[in-house]
Amino acid sequence: MGRYILRRLLQMIPTLLAVAALIFLIFSVLPGSFAGTMTGGGRRALSPELVAQINAQFGLDKALPVRFWDYLVRLVQFDLGTSFRTREPVMDLIAARIWPSLQLALSAMALAVTVGIPLGFLAAMRPGSLLDSITMIGAVSGLSMPQFWLGLLLMYVFALQLGWLPSFGYGEGRLRNLILPAIALGFAPLALLARTTRAGVLEVMASDHIRTAMAKGASPSQMVRWHVLRNVMVLIVTTMGLQIGSLLGQALVIEKLFSWPGLGSLMVDSVAIRDIPVVQGTILVIVLWFLVINVLVDVIYAAIDPRISLR
């Protein structure tokens, strides 16, 4: 197990380097510059001397291969560079924003797991029932509904009309500030988990070994515990892993909508002013999070199903 985890972690390095190269090249060829955002974004004439001074200050006057090499050298030293705007290390900016993002993502996933999986399971055990119909309608709606629209709806109902919850802000990590953004972010994974769980349970229930267990007189609780759950958990864990791995990236819109001080809002603000080191750093952290979650999911596979071998 240890060798497998070490090998998977080492395999992340080429992926991260490829992502870093892609991000660097994209932001190097896009029109506009940090100097332009500092001096009015093109709304007034820029002095060539001022542009040259700003570019020299941040090393933007160097040739593209030189800048790319310098970036890779810093990256292998775990140095994400320095923010153009604040002149702070990017690592410090990310460290200040990572916990609010994790709070939001993990809360949204907790909501999706605790509600979506039981709903999908109950719906599968009673196919064609009212609960099944309501669950599937809710699942389709949740997968189709834009997150920002749901967030605005929640803000309008629970913040503006009822006044029960704050409509925006971190509030020093208070639970009341977390509820609305977590629901808005977690509703789509909830719907997907409910639908996936229902489909997986129905497929297992129709298999031969389930019919054999029922013919042998297995009780419903034994059948569910020893046959249904064990066979459907791999599918559920796969869906959970993909969703929690992508939630940091999906939270971008929700963080801006609710003024949540996470990585998503940091990246959006940095893109607007072309603070390239911060954008590169936040994207790399989000990609790293996704890769680590994938490794954990593979390890959980082996714990759930002994037939799965980690090699």
Side-chain angles (χ1 to χ4, degrees):
M1 178 72 73
R3 292 176 59 186
Y4 171 80
I5 295 175
L6 179 60
R7 185 171 70 253
R8 287 296 303 272
L9 292 176
L10 292 176
Q11 289 173 354
M12 292 181 189
I13 297 176
T15 303
L16 290 173
L17 291 176
V19 171
L22 182 62
I23 299 168
F24 183 89
L25 292 175
I26 288 175
F27 280 92
S28 297
V29 300
L30 285 178
S33 65
F34 179 70
T37 63
M38 289 181 63
T39 54
R43 289 189 292 271
R44 64 176 182 230
L46 299 178
S47 166
E49 293 77 12
L50 179 59
V51 172
Q53 181 180 351
I54 294 173
N55 288 337
Q57 180 181 0
F58 298 111
L60 300 177
D61 57 338
K62 299 179 181 178
L64 181 61
V66 175
R67 286 191 286 124
F68 181 58
W69 175 253
D70 292 341
Y71 173 64
L72 289 181
V73 170
R74 292 195 304 268
L75 192 61
V76 298
Q77 297 174 348
F78 302 99
D79 180 6
L80 297 179
T82 303
S83 168
F84 291 166
R85 177 180 58 176
T86 65
R87 305 303 296 162
E88 297 179 68
V90 174
M91 194 73 77
D92 293 346
L93 294 175
I94 292 177
R97 299 290 192 107
I98 187 68
W99 175 237
S101 284
L102 289 178
Q103 276 185 301
L104 180 57
L106 295 178
S107 299
M109 199 64 208
L111 172 67
V113 170
T114 55
V115 177
I117 294 177
L119 271 180
F121 190 88
L122 293 175
M125 299 303 291
R126 298 172 177 83
S129 65
L130 179 62
L131 175 63
D132 184 25
S133 300
I134 294 175
T135 301
M136 288 302 96
I137 292 173
V140 173
S141 301
L143 293 172
S144 307
M145 189 181 306
Q147 288 181 334
F148 74 89
W149 187 87
L150 177 60
L152 290 173
L153 181 62
L154 292 172
M155 291 170 65
Y156 177 76
V157 174
F158 294 101
L160 297 180
Q161 294 298 316
L162 300 176
W164 291 353
L165 296 167
S167 59
F168 63 91
Y170 186 59
E172 297 182 356
R174 292 184 300 175
L175 178 62
R176 295 181 71 252
N177 296 74
L178 180 62
I179 294 175
L180 291 184
I183 294 175
L185 181 62
F187 196 71
L190 187 157
L192 181 60
L193 277 174
R195 191 169 183 176
T196 302
T197 302
R198 178 184 180 274
V201 171
L202 287 176
E203 183 179 355
V204 173
M205 291 292 291
S207 59
D208 292 337
H209 72 278
I210 292 295
R211 287 194 290 267
T212 302
M214 295 175 63
K216 290 182 178 180
S219 65
S221 61
Q222 289 176 330
M223 184 179 63
V224 170
R225 184 182 308 113
W226 296 106
H227 298 282
V228 178
L229 283 179
R230 291 173 66 89
N231 285 277
V232 81
M233 278 306 295
V234 171
L235 177 62
I236 294 175
V237 169
T238 301
T239 306
M240 289 173 55
L242 291 174
Q243 289 301 301
I244 195 171
S246 61
L247 274 181
L248 283 185
Q250 295 178 19
L252 186 148
V253 174
I254 297 300
E255 288 185 4
K256 287 301 295 181
L257 181 63
F258 288 92
S259 299
W260 194 262
L263 290 179
S265 58
L266 175 64
M267 184 167 63
V268 172
D269 295 340
S270 300
V271 168
I273 63 170
R274 296 297 301 272
D275 195 346
I276 297 175
V278 177
V279 177
Q280 292 171 335
T282 52
I283 294 178
L284 282 177
V285 169
I286 292 173
V287 172
L288 178 61
W289 166 262
F290 186 83
L291 294 175
V292 170
I293 292 297
N294 280 340
V295 174
L296 292 178
V297 168
D298 288 344
V299 173
I300 295 173
Y301 282 166
I304 294 175
D305 192 344
R307 294 173 298 179
I308 299 177
S309 176
L310 298 180
R311 297 181 180 178

PDB file of all heavy atoms in Angstrom, residues 90 93-102 248-249 251-252 255-256 260-270 278 281-286 289:
ATOM      1  N   VAL A  90       2.941  34.309  -2.993  1.00  0.00           N
ATOM      2  CA  VAL A  90       1.676  33.680  -3.389  1.00  0.00           C
ATOM      3  C   VAL A  90       1.295  32.574  -2.410  1.00  0.00           C
ATOM      4  O   VAL A  90       0.117  32.362  -2.112  1.00  0.00           O
ATOM      5  CB  VAL A  90       1.799  33.125  -4.823  1.00  0.00           C
ATOM      6  CG1 VAL A  90       0.554  32.330  -5.211  1.00  0.00           C
ATOM      7  CG2 VAL A  90       2.044  34.252  -5.799  1.00  0.00           C
ATOM      8  N   LEU A  93      -0.653  34.067   0.403  1.00  0.00           N
ATOM      9  CA  LEU A  93      -2.013  34.434  -0.002  1.00  0.00           C
ATOM     10  C   LEU A  93      -2.905  33.211  -0.084  1.00  0.00           C
ATOM     11  O   LEU A  93      -4.069  33.236   0.356  1.00  0.00           O
ATOM     12  CB  LEU A  93      -1.985  35.149  -1.358  1.00  0.00           C
ATOM     13  CG  LEU A  93      -1.306  36.516  -1.402  1.00  0.00           C
ATOM     14  CD1 LEU A  93      -1.257  37.032  -2.834  1.00  0.00           C
ATOM     15  CD2 LEU A  93      -2.043  37.504  -0.505  1.00  0.00           C
ATOM     16  N   ILE A  94      -2.379  32.122  -0.639  1.00  0.00           N
ATOM     17  CA  ILE A  94      -3.158  30.889  -0.748  1.00  0.00           C
ATOM     18  C   ILE A  94      -3.418  30.293   0.628  1.00  0.00           C
ATOM     19  O   ILE A  94      -4.519  29.810   0.912  1.00  0.00           O
ATOM     20  CB  ILE A  94      -2.431  29.886  -1.662  1.00  0.00           C
ATOM     21  CG1 ILE A  94      -2.437  30.412  -3.098  1.00  0.00           C
ATOM     22  CG2 ILE A  94      -3.061  28.515  -1.583  1.00  0.00           C
ATOM     23  CD1 ILE A  94      -1.675  29.541  -4.068  1.00  0.00           C
ATOM     24  N   ALA A  95      -2.404  30.330   1.501  1.00  0.00           N
ATOM     25  CA  ALA A  95      -2.580  29.782   2.848  1.00  0.00           C
ATOM     26  C   ALA A  95      -3.680  30.516   3.606  1.00  0.00           C
ATOM     27  O   ALA A  95      -4.416  29.903   4.395  1.00  0.00           O
ATOM     28  CB  ALA A  95      -1.261  29.871   3.617  1.00  0.00           C
ATOM     29  N   ALA A  96      -3.818  31.818   3.360  1.00  0.00           N
ATOM     30  CA  ALA A  96      -4.861  32.590   4.040  1.00  0.00           C
ATOM     31  C   ALA A  96      -6.249  32.299   3.487  1.00  0.00           C
ATOM     32  O   ALA A  96      -7.251  32.537   4.169  1.00  0.00           O
ATOM     33  CB  ALA A  96      -4.558  34.083   3.922  1.00  0.00           C
ATOM     34  N   ARG A  97      -6.324  31.775   2.264  1.00  0.00           N
ATOM     35  CA  ARG A  97      -7.621  31.547   1.620  1.00  0.00           C
ATOM     36  C   ARG A  97      -8.022  30.074   1.568  1.00  0.00           C
ATOM     37  O   ARG A  97      -9.187  29.774   1.277  1.00  0.00           O
ATOM     38  CB  ARG A  97      -7.579  32.076   0.184  1.00  0.00           C
ATOM     39  CG  ARG A  97      -7.321  33.565   0.043  1.00  0.00           C
ATOM     40  CD  ARG A  97      -8.486  34.401   0.504  1.00  0.00           C
ATOM     41  NE  ARG A  97      -8.349  35.795   0.104  1.00  0.00           N
ATOM     42  CZ  ARG A  97      -9.066  36.367  -0.869  1.00  0.00           C
ATOM     43  NH1 ARG A  97      -9.972  35.662  -1.508  1.00  0.00           N
ATOM     44  NH2 ARG A  97      -8.867  37.635  -1.173  1.00  0.00           N
ATOM     45  N   ILE A  98      -7.098  29.152   1.809  1.00  0.00           N
ATOM     46  CA  ILE A  98      -7.392  27.739   1.598  1.00  0.00           C
ATOM     47  C   ILE A  98      -8.409  27.201   2.608  1.00  0.00           C
ATOM     48  O   ILE A  98      -9.280  26.390   2.263  1.00  0.00           O
ATOM     49  CB  ILE A  98      -6.087  26.907   1.641  1.00  0.00           C
ATOM     50  CG1 ILE A  98      -6.340  25.454   1.248  1.00  0.00           C
ATOM     51  CG2 ILE A  98      -5.445  26.977   3.028  1.00  0.00           C
ATOM     52  CD1 ILE A  98      -6.723  25.263  -0.181  1.00  0.00           C
ATOM     53  N   TRP A  99      -8.341  27.651   3.865  1.00  0.00           N
ATOM     54  CA  TRP A  99      -9.259  27.119   4.867  1.00  0.00           C
ATOM     55  C   TRP A  99     -10.712  27.504   4.599  1.00  0.00           C
ATOM     56  O   TRP A  99     -11.603  26.636   4.679  1.00  0.00           O
ATOM     57  CB  TRP A  99      -8.827  27.534   6.266  1.00  0.00           C
ATOM     58  CG  TRP A  99      -9.805  27.116   7.329  1.00  0.00           C
ATOM     59  CD1 TRP A  99     -10.439  27.917   8.228  1.00  0.00           C
ATOM     60  CD2 TRP A  99     -10.257  25.794   7.610  1.00  0.00           C
ATOM     61  NE1 TRP A  99     -11.269  27.191   9.027  1.00  0.00           N
ATOM     62  CE2 TRP A  99     -11.179  25.873   8.682  1.00  0.00           C
ATOM     63  CE3 TRP A  99     -10.003  24.532   7.059  1.00  0.00           C
ATOM     64  CZ2 TRP A  99     -11.830  24.761   9.208  1.00  0.00           C
ATOM     65  CZ3 TRP A  99     -10.655  23.414   7.569  1.00  0.00           C
ATOM     66  CH2 TRP A  99     -11.539  23.538   8.637  1.00  0.00           C
ATOM     67  N   PRO A 100     -11.027  28.768   4.266  1.00  0.00           N
ATOM     68  CA  PRO A 100     -12.426  29.069   3.905  1.00  0.00           C
ATOM     69  C   PRO A 100     -12.919  28.240   2.727  1.00  0.00           C
ATOM     70  O   PRO A 100     -14.075  27.797   2.719  1.00  0.00           O
ATOM     71  CB  PRO A 100     -12.381  30.567   3.571  1.00  0.00           C
ATOM     72  CG  PRO A 100     -11.254  31.100   4.381  1.00  0.00           C
ATOM     73  CD  PRO A 100     -10.233  30.009   4.375  1.00  0.00           C
ATOM     74  N   SER A 101     -12.062  28.006   1.733  1.00  0.00           N
ATOM     75  CA  SER A 101     -12.476  27.183   0.590  1.00  0.00           C
ATOM     76  C   SER A 101     -12.729  25.747   1.016  1.00  0.00           C
ATOM     77  O   SER A 101     -13.701  25.115   0.576  1.00  0.00           O
ATOM     78  CB  SER A 101     -11.410  27.215  -0.509  1.00  0.00           C
ATOM     79  OG  SER A 101     -11.439  28.427  -1.218  1.00  0.00           O
ATOM     80  N   LEU A 102     -11.859  25.192   1.854  1.00  0.00           N
ATOM     81  CA  LEU A 102     -12.061  23.825   2.334  1.00  0.00           C
ATOM     82  C   LEU A 102     -13.320  23.729   3.199  1.00  0.00           C
ATOM     83  O   LEU A 102     -14.057  22.739   3.118  1.00  0.00           O
ATOM     84  CB  LEU A 102     -10.838  23.359   3.120  1.00  0.00           C
ATOM     85  CG  LEU A 102      -9.574  23.087   2.310  1.00  0.00           C
ATOM     86  CD1 LEU A 102      -8.420  22.686   3.228  1.00  0.00           C
ATOM     87  CD2 LEU A 102      -9.826  21.995   1.279  1.00  0.00           C
ATOM     88  N   LEU A 248     -13.519  22.496  -5.248  1.00  0.00           N
ATOM     89  CA  LEU A 248     -12.739  23.730  -5.086  1.00  0.00           C
ATOM     90  C   LEU A 248     -12.826  24.590  -6.341  1.00  0.00           C
ATOM     91  O   LEU A 248     -12.908  25.819  -6.263  1.00  0.00           O
ATOM     92  CB  LEU A 248     -11.283  23.412  -4.764  1.00  0.00           C
ATOM     93  CG  LEU A 248     -10.960  22.982  -3.327  1.00  0.00           C
ATOM     94  CD1 LEU A 248      -9.461  22.825  -3.159  1.00  0.00           C
ATOM     95  CD2 LEU A 248     -11.496  23.963  -2.312  1.00  0.00           C
ATOM     96  N   GLY A 249     -12.793  23.938  -7.501  1.00  0.00           N
ATOM     97  CA  GLY A 249     -12.944  24.688  -8.741  1.00  0.00           C
ATOM     98  C   GLY A 249     -14.370  25.150  -8.965  1.00  0.00           C
ATOM     99  O   GLY A 249     -14.610  26.269  -9.432  1.00  0.00           O
ATOM    100  N   ALA A 251     -16.459  25.980  -6.777  1.00  0.00           N
ATOM    101  CA  ALA A 251     -16.850  26.986  -5.795  1.00  0.00           C
ATOM    102  C   ALA A 251     -16.559  28.407  -6.250  1.00  0.00           C
ATOM    103  O   ALA A 251     -16.946  29.362  -5.564  1.00  0.00           O
ATOM    104  CB  ALA A 251     -16.123  26.726  -4.471  1.00  0.00           C
ATOM    105  N   LEU A 252     -15.919  28.567  -7.389  1.00  0.00           N
ATOM    106  CA  LEU A 252     -15.521  29.886  -7.860  1.00  0.00           C
ATOM    107  C   LEU A 252     -16.711  30.851  -7.941  1.00  0.00           C
ATOM    108  O   LEU A 252     -16.664  31.964  -7.409  1.00  0.00           O
ATOM    109  CB  LEU A 252     -14.845  29.737  -9.228  1.00  0.00           C
ATOM    110  CG  LEU A 252     -14.203  30.946  -9.883  1.00  0.00           C
ATOM    111  CD1 LEU A 252     -13.007  30.495 -10.703  1.00  0.00           C
ATOM    112  CD2 LEU A 252     -15.191  31.656 -10.799  1.00  0.00           C
ATOM    113  N   GLU A 255     -18.327  31.485  -4.406  1.00  0.00           N
ATOM    114  CA  GLU A 255     -17.517  32.348  -3.544  1.00  0.00           C
ATOM    115  C   GLU A 255     -17.664  33.815  -3.929  1.00  0.00           C
ATOM    116  O   GLU A 255     -17.755  34.688  -3.060  1.00  0.00           O
ATOM    117  CB  GLU A 255     -16.051  31.915  -3.615  1.00  0.00           C
ATOM    118  CG  GLU A 255     -15.765  30.604  -2.908  1.00  0.00           C
ATOM    119  CD  GLU A 255     -14.291  30.249  -2.881  1.00  0.00           C
ATOM    120  OE1 GLU A 255     -13.476  31.060  -3.342  1.00  0.00           O
ATOM    121  OE2 GLU A 255     -13.950  29.165  -2.385  1.00  0.00           O
ATOM    122  N   LYS A 256     -17.684  34.094  -5.218  1.00  0.00           N
ATOM    123  CA  LYS A 256     -17.878  35.481  -5.632  1.00  0.00           C
ATOM    124  C   LYS A 256     -19.282  35.970  -5.310  1.00  0.00           C
ATOM    125  O   LYS A 256     -19.473  37.120  -4.897  1.00  0.00           O
ATOM    126  CB  LYS A 256     -17.613  35.616  -7.138  1.00  0.00           C
ATOM    127  CG  LYS A 256     -16.156  35.537  -7.520  1.00  0.00           C
ATOM    128  CD  LYS A 256     -15.329  36.622  -6.838  1.00  0.00           C
ATOM    129  CE  LYS A 256     -15.706  38.010  -7.265  1.00  0.00           C
ATOM    130  NZ  LYS A 256     -14.882  39.067  -6.623  1.00  0.00           N
ATOM    131  N   TRP A 260     -17.339  35.170  -0.419  1.00  0.00           N
ATOM    132  CA  TRP A 260     -16.643  34.200   0.435  1.00  0.00           C
ATOM    133  C   TRP A 260     -15.142  34.278   0.145  1.00  0.00           C
ATOM    134  O   TRP A 260     -14.723  34.138  -1.000  1.00  0.00           O
ATOM    135  CB  TRP A 260     -17.170  32.796   0.151  1.00  0.00           C
ATOM    136  CG  TRP A 260     -16.781  31.778   1.168  1.00  0.00           C
ATOM    137  CD1 TRP A 260     -15.766  30.883   1.100  1.00  0.00           C
ATOM    138  CD2 TRP A 260     -17.423  31.548   2.422  1.00  0.00           C
ATOM    139  NE1 TRP A 260     -15.726  30.110   2.227  1.00  0.00           N
ATOM    140  CE2 TRP A 260     -16.728  30.498   3.055  1.00  0.00           C
ATOM    141  CE3 TRP A 260     -18.510  32.137   3.076  1.00  0.00           C
ATOM    142  CZ2 TRP A 260     -17.099  30.016   4.308  1.00  0.00           C
ATOM    143  CZ3 TRP A 260     -18.883  31.658   4.317  1.00  0.00           C
ATOM    144  CH2 TRP A 260     -18.186  30.615   4.923  1.00  0.00           C
ATOM    145  N   PRO A 261     -14.310  34.503   1.155  1.00  0.00           N
ATOM    146  CA  PRO A 261     -12.880  34.767   0.908  1.00  0.00           C
ATOM    147  C   PRO A 261     -12.058  33.502   0.688  1.00  0.00           C
ATOM    148  O   PRO A 261     -11.132  33.199   1.443  1.00  0.00           O
ATOM    149  CB  PRO A 261     -12.448  35.490   2.190  1.00  0.00           C
ATOM    150  CG  PRO A 261     -13.318  34.884   3.248  1.00  0.00           C
ATOM    151  CD  PRO A 261     -14.648  34.621   2.589  1.00  0.00           C
ATOM    152  N   GLY A 262     -12.382  32.760  -0.368  1.00  0.00           N
ATOM    153  CA  GLY A 262     -11.670  31.528  -0.652  1.00  0.00           C
ATOM    154  C   GLY A 262     -10.771  31.636  -1.864  1.00  0.00           C
ATOM    155  O   GLY A 262     -10.533  32.715  -2.407  1.00  0.00           O
ATOM    156  N   LEU A 263     -10.288  30.482  -2.319  1.00  0.00           N
ATOM    157  CA  LEU A 263      -9.389  30.452  -3.468  1.00  0.00           C
ATOM    158  C   LEU A 263     -10.096  30.901  -4.739  1.00  0.00           C
ATOM    159  O   LEU A 263      -9.489  31.536  -5.606  1.00  0.00           O
ATOM    160  CB  LEU A 263      -8.836  29.035  -3.663  1.00  0.00           C
ATOM    161  CG  LEU A 263      -7.841  28.517  -2.621  1.00  0.00           C
ATOM    162  CD1 LEU A 263      -7.431  27.102  -2.964  1.00  0.00           C
ATOM    163  CD2 LEU A 263      -6.623  29.427  -2.553  1.00  0.00           C
ATOM    164  N   GLY A 264     -11.369  30.564  -4.877  1.00  0.00           N
ATOM    165  CA  GLY A 264     -12.098  30.933  -6.078  1.00  0.00           C
ATOM    166  C   GLY A 264     -12.191  32.433  -6.263  1.00  0.00           C
ATOM    167  O   GLY A 264     -11.912  32.955  -7.355  1.00  0.00           O
ATOM    168  N   SER A 265     -12.573  33.144  -5.209  1.00  0.00           N
ATOM    169  CA  SER A 265     -12.660  34.599  -5.311  1.00  0.00           C
ATOM    170  C   SER A 265     -11.281  35.227  -5.495  1.00  0.00           C
ATOM    171  O   SER A 265     -11.126  36.223  -6.212  1.00  0.00           O
ATOM    172  CB  SER A 265     -13.345  35.174  -4.063  1.00  0.00           C
ATOM    173  OG  SER A 265     -12.646  34.807  -2.880  1.00  0.00           O
ATOM    174  N   LEU A 266     -10.257  34.640  -4.876  1.00  0.00           N
ATOM    175  CA  LEU A 266      -8.895  35.129  -5.072  1.00  0.00           C
ATOM    176  C   LEU A 266      -8.473  34.987  -6.532  1.00  0.00           C
ATOM    177  O   LEU A 266      -7.878  35.908  -7.105  1.00  0.00           O
ATOM    178  CB  LEU A 266      -7.929  34.358  -4.170  1.00  0.00           C
ATOM    179  CG  LEU A 266      -6.437  34.664  -4.339  1.00  0.00           C
ATOM    180  CD1 LEU A 266      -6.130  36.099  -3.967  1.00  0.00           C
ATOM    181  CD2 LEU A 266      -5.596  33.694  -3.504  1.00  0.00           C
ATOM    182  N   MET A 267      -8.820  33.866  -7.145  1.00  0.00           N
ATOM    183  CA  MET A 267      -8.432  33.648  -8.535  1.00  0.00           C
ATOM    184  C   MET A 267      -9.181  34.597  -9.473  1.00  0.00           C
ATOM    185  O   MET A 267      -8.585  35.153 -10.398  1.00  0.00           O
ATOM    186  CB  MET A 267      -8.697  32.202  -8.941  1.00  0.00           C
ATOM    187  CG  MET A 267      -8.232  31.878 -10.339  1.00  0.00           C
ATOM    188  SD  MET A 267      -8.195  30.111 -10.708  1.00  0.00           S
ATOM    189  CE  MET A 267      -9.924  29.701 -10.546  1.00  0.00           C
ATOM    190  N   VAL A 268     -10.472  34.802  -9.236  1.00  0.00           N
ATOM    191  CA  VAL A 268     -11.241  35.705 -10.089  1.00  0.00           C
ATOM    192  C   VAL A 268     -10.686  37.125 -10.003  1.00  0.00           C
ATOM    193  O   VAL A 268     -10.495  37.801 -11.020  1.00  0.00           O
ATOM    194  CB  VAL A 268     -12.728  35.688  -9.693  1.00  0.00           C
ATOM    195  CG1 VAL A 268     -13.497  36.770 -10.436  1.00  0.00           C
ATOM    196  CG2 VAL A 268     -13.341  34.332  -9.993  1.00  0.00           C
ATOM    197  N   ASP A 269     -10.416  37.588  -8.794  1.00  0.00           N
ATOM    198  CA  ASP A 269      -9.856  38.933  -8.632  1.00  0.00           C
ATOM    199  C   ASP A 269      -8.496  39.055  -9.298  1.00  0.00           C
ATOM    200  O   ASP A 269      -8.169  40.100  -9.879  1.00  0.00           O
ATOM    201  CB  ASP A 269      -9.734  39.272  -7.146  1.00  0.00           C
ATOM    202  CG  ASP A 269     -11.089  39.366  -6.455  1.00  0.00           C
ATOM    203  OD1 ASP A 269     -12.102  39.556  -7.160  1.00  0.00           O
ATOM    204  OD2 ASP A 269     -11.140  39.226  -5.216  1.00  0.00           O
ATOM    205  N   SER A 270      -7.703  37.995  -9.222  1.00  0.00           N
ATOM    206  CA  SER A 270      -6.358  38.037  -9.800  1.00  0.00           C
ATOM    207  C   SER A 270      -6.408  37.997 -11.320  1.00  0.00           C
ATOM    208  O   SER A 270      -5.583  38.637 -11.988  1.00  0.00           O
ATOM    209  CB  SER A 270      -5.526  36.867  -9.268  1.00  0.00           C
ATOM    210  OG  SER A 270      -5.420  36.925  -7.852  1.00  0.00           O
ATOM    211  N   VAL A 278      -0.457  34.713  -8.932  1.00  0.00           N
ATOM    212  CA  VAL A 278      -1.536  34.257  -8.051  1.00  0.00           C
ATOM    213  C   VAL A 278      -2.470  33.311  -8.796  1.00  0.00           C
ATOM    214  O   VAL A 278      -2.904  32.289  -8.257  1.00  0.00           O
ATOM    215  CB  VAL A 278      -2.317  35.464  -7.488  1.00  0.00           C
ATOM    216  CG1 VAL A 278      -3.478  34.988  -6.621  1.00  0.00           C
ATOM    217  CG2 VAL A 278      -1.386  36.366  -6.680  1.00  0.00           C
ATOM    218  N   GLY A 281      -0.739  29.969  -9.157  1.00  0.00           N
ATOM    219  CA  GLY A 281      -0.662  29.269  -7.880  1.00  0.00           C
ATOM    220  C   GLY A 281      -1.991  28.665  -7.468  1.00  0.00           C
ATOM    221  O   GLY A 281      -2.048  27.510  -7.028  1.00  0.00           O
ATOM    222  N   THR A 282      -3.088  29.417  -7.614  1.00  0.00           N
ATOM    223  CA  THR A 282      -4.395  28.901  -7.206  1.00  0.00           C
ATOM    224  C   THR A 282      -4.828  27.729  -8.079  1.00  0.00           C
ATOM    225  O   THR A 282      -5.369  26.735  -7.575  1.00  0.00           O
ATOM    226  CB  THR A 282      -5.453  30.008  -7.254  1.00  0.00           C
ATOM    227  OG1 THR A 282      -5.421  30.640  -8.541  1.00  0.00           O
ATOM    228  CG2 THR A 282      -5.197  31.050  -6.192  1.00  0.00           C
ATOM    229  N   ILE A 283      -4.576  27.823  -9.379  1.00  0.00           N
ATOM    230  CA  ILE A 283      -4.952  26.708 -10.261  1.00  0.00           C
ATOM    231  C   ILE A 283      -4.149  25.462  -9.926  1.00  0.00           C
ATOM    232  O   ILE A 283      -4.690  24.346  -9.892  1.00  0.00           O
ATOM    233  CB  ILE A 283      -4.756  27.106 -11.734  1.00  0.00           C
ATOM    234  CG1 ILE A 283      -5.726  28.222 -12.114  1.00  0.00           C
ATOM    235  CG2 ILE A 283      -4.977  25.900 -12.642  1.00  0.00           C
ATOM    236  CD1 ILE A 283      -5.569  28.722 -13.529  1.00  0.00           C
ATOM    237  N   LEU A 284      -2.871  25.624  -9.645  1.00  0.00           N
ATOM    238  CA  LEU A 284      -2.047  24.468  -9.289  1.00  0.00           C
ATOM    239  C   LEU A 284      -2.527  23.820  -7.994  1.00  0.00           C
ATOM    240  O   LEU A 284      -2.546  22.587  -7.880  1.00  0.00           O
ATOM    241  CB  LEU A 284      -0.583  24.896  -9.156  1.00  0.00           C
ATOM    242  CG  LEU A 284       0.200  25.090 -10.454  1.00  0.00           C
ATOM    243  CD1 LEU A 284       1.594  25.588 -10.161  1.00  0.00           C
ATOM    244  CD2 LEU A 284       0.241  23.803 -11.257  1.00  0.00           C
ATOM    245  N   VAL A 285      -2.925  24.622  -7.017  1.00  0.00           N
ATOM    246  CA  VAL A 285      -3.429  24.068  -5.758  1.00  0.00           C
ATOM    247  C   VAL A 285      -4.723  23.293  -5.992  1.00  0.00           C
ATOM    248  O   VAL A 285      -4.936  22.206  -5.436  1.00  0.00           O
ATOM    249  CB  VAL A 285      -3.637  25.198  -4.727  1.00  0.00           C
ATOM    250  CG1 VAL A 285      -4.415  24.689  -3.519  1.00  0.00           C
ATOM    251  CG2 VAL A 285      -2.294  25.752  -4.284  1.00  0.00           C
ATOM    252  N   ILE A 286      -5.596  23.829  -6.832  1.00  0.00           N
ATOM    253  CA  ILE A 286      -6.858  23.136  -7.126  1.00  0.00           C
ATOM    254  C   ILE A 286      -6.589  21.814  -7.851  1.00  0.00           C
ATOM    255  O   ILE A 286      -7.205  20.785  -7.546  1.00  0.00           O
ATOM    256  CB  ILE A 286      -7.773  24.049  -7.969  1.00  0.00           C
ATOM    257  CG1 ILE A 286      -8.245  25.230  -7.120  1.00  0.00           C
ATOM    258  CG2 ILE A 286      -8.973  23.275  -8.496  1.00  0.00           C
ATOM    259  CD1 ILE A 286      -9.013  26.281  -7.888  1.00  0.00           C
ATOM    260  N   TRP A 289      -5.179  19.315  -5.341  1.00  0.00           N
ATOM    261  CA  TRP A 289      -6.272  18.799  -4.505  1.00  0.00           C
ATOM    262  C   TRP A 289      -6.998  17.667  -5.237  1.00  0.00           C
ATOM    263  O   TRP A 289      -7.290  16.615  -4.657  1.00  0.00           O
ATOM    264  CB  TRP A 289      -7.218  19.939  -4.162  1.00  0.00           C
ATOM    265  CG  TRP A 289      -8.549  19.545  -3.601  1.00  0.00           C
ATOM    266  CD1 TRP A 289      -9.727  19.441  -4.284  1.00  0.00           C
ATOM    267  CD2 TRP A 289      -8.855  19.206  -2.245  1.00  0.00           C
ATOM    268  NE1 TRP A 289     -10.741  19.071  -3.444  1.00  0.00           N
ATOM    269  CE2 TRP A 289     -10.238  18.922  -2.183  1.00  0.00           C
ATOM    270  CE3 TRP A 289      -8.102  19.128  -1.088  1.00  0.00           C
ATOM    271  CZ2 TRP A 289     -10.872  18.550  -0.999  1.00  0.00           C
ATOM    272  CZ3 TRP A 289      -8.731  18.752   0.103  1.00  0.00           C
ATOM    273  CH2 TRP A 289     -10.104  18.470   0.127  1.00  0.00           C
TER     274      TRP A 289
END
